[in-house]
Every structure is written in C-alpha cells, then in structure tokens.
Amino acid sequence: SVVQIAQSVAGRLTHNVKCEIMITEKLRKIHKTHRLVNGDVSSHTKSAQRITKEWQEAIKSEMVYTEVSVSPENNEKIDVIDLSTKTAYELKVSGKNTHHEFYKDIAKVLTYNEYSDRKILKLIFLSEPEGIKSLKNRLDSKFVSLMKRKHNIEFELISI
C-alpha cells in the first residue's frame, strides 16, 4: 500500500540521517580535541592525520568501512563508506584548497562505482567552515545537476 511504502521510505531516511549525525558528530568531537591553532606545517599535517585516523577508528563497524580502495589499478582510497546508507565521507581537515580535494574525491567515487556492485549514492565532504563556505561559493549548480542526473550521486558539504 502507499502508506507502507511511505513508512518504509521515512524509516530509511531516518536511518540515513541518524547515521550521518553520528559520523559527523564523532568527527567534530575529535577535531575539537586535536586540531592545532598554532604550529608549523609538519605539526598541522600530523594533527590532521591523527584526527582522520581517530575518526575512522571511532566509526568503523560491520557496515562502515574506512580507507576503502577505489580500484585495483591505483592506490586511491575513500576515507569512509557507510554501506547501509550508500554514502561516502571524505574529510579535508584544513579548510584550505577544499575545491581541489573535493573534485578529486568525486573522481574517486565515480571510479569506485565503476568497480563496485554496491554503488555510492551520496558524497559527504567535510572540512572546516571557511573551506566549506569557499567550496559552496564555487560549486556550479549545473555540475551538481549533471552528477545527479548522469551518475545518481548527490553531494552534501558539512562544516566540522
């Protein structure tokens, strides 16, 4: 019946939102604890690596995989994939040059989908507020529409 279909869709949406909140909130907590305000480039790199690793360890489960190989032909990896929601998460700890990382991450998702039977339907890109703001200002609406129409992939940009 229509009611049963509506309830099923609502249940899936609720599950997806709960998963996204859990994953992003764990990242925010770890980021707040370990992100450096001052320091040299090496210190900031180590901080970013620590944040990423701790976040991945905190959310890993039977349906949430980390450092997922994109293809047998390269060494690229997706930071996190939640198979239950068909969502990939990519983290750029620093808010600098987010557009470069974002488009590289899209290429990783497209390549992953070519090799996998379990398609990613959404990419959530996470970064610091200034990076997300900059990326939102640069993101082309026709490109977003093209990715949805031709590749069935949606994007969400989230500040940490």
Side-chain angles (χ1 to χ4, degrees):
S1 82
V2 174
V3 172
Q4 288 173 319
I5 292 170
Q7 289 172 335
S8 175
V9 168
R12 279 196 307 275
L13 288 174
T14 301
H15 169 77
N16 290 3
V17 169
K18 284 180 183 175
C19 290
E20 289 174 15
I21 290 170
M22 182 276 296
I23 288 171
T24 56
E25 286 307 311
K26 286 202 182 210
L27 173 60
R28 284 187 178 114
K29 182 178 177 188
I30 292 165
H31 181 268
K32 187 176 182 180
T33 302
H34 296 298
R35 185 67 171 134
L36 295 179
V37 176
N38 299 313
D40 59 14
V41 172
S42 176
S43 299
H44 280 277
T45 300
K46 288 177 185 169
S47 168
Q49 290 169 339
R50 181 176 184 181
I51 289 165
T52 302
K53 187 172 176 55
E54 282 192 28
W55 172 56
Q56 289 173 327
E57 288 298 319
I59 62 174
K60 198 183 323 186
S61 71
E62 65 183 43
M63 293 303 287
V64 177
Y65 293 83
T66 61
E67 293 299 310
V68 180
S69 182
V70 168
S71 149
E73 296 183 19
N74 64 45
N75 291 326
E76 296 294 328
K77 297 189 183 324
I78 295 172
D79 291 339
V80 173
I81 296 178
D82 182 343
L83 294 175
S84 74
T85 64
K86 300 178 181 175
T87 302
Y89 294 81
E90 283 288 346
L91 170 61
K92 171 82 166 79
V93 174
S94 161
K96 296 182 175 87
N97 296 316
T98 51
H99 58 288
H100 294 296
E101 192 70 28
F102 177 72
Y103 288 106
K104 185 176 101 175
D105 292 340
I106 291 169
K108 291 193 294 187
V109 169
L110 290 170
T111 304
Y112 172 89
N113 279 351
E114 281 299 307
Y115 283 95
S116 179
D117 293 332
R118 299 176 125 176
K119 305 293 186 215
I120 293 170
L121 302 179
K122 185 174 187 178
L123 169 62
I124 295 181
F125 185 83
L126 304 134
S127 190
E128 293 177 333
E130 67 274 8
I132 294 299
K133 181 180 178 189
S134 170
L135 186 55
K136 282 181 178 178
N137 290 337
R138 298 175 81 142
L139 198 55
D140 185 272
S141 61
K142 287 197 183 244
F143 176 75
V144 172
S145 175
L146 167 85
M147 293 303 293
K148 177 64 177 158
R149 194 175 64 254
K150 298 281 187 181
H151 300 285
N152 199 29
I153 297 172
E154 295 181 44
F155 306 118
E156 188 171 349
L157 307 176
I158 298 178
S159 297
I160 53 174

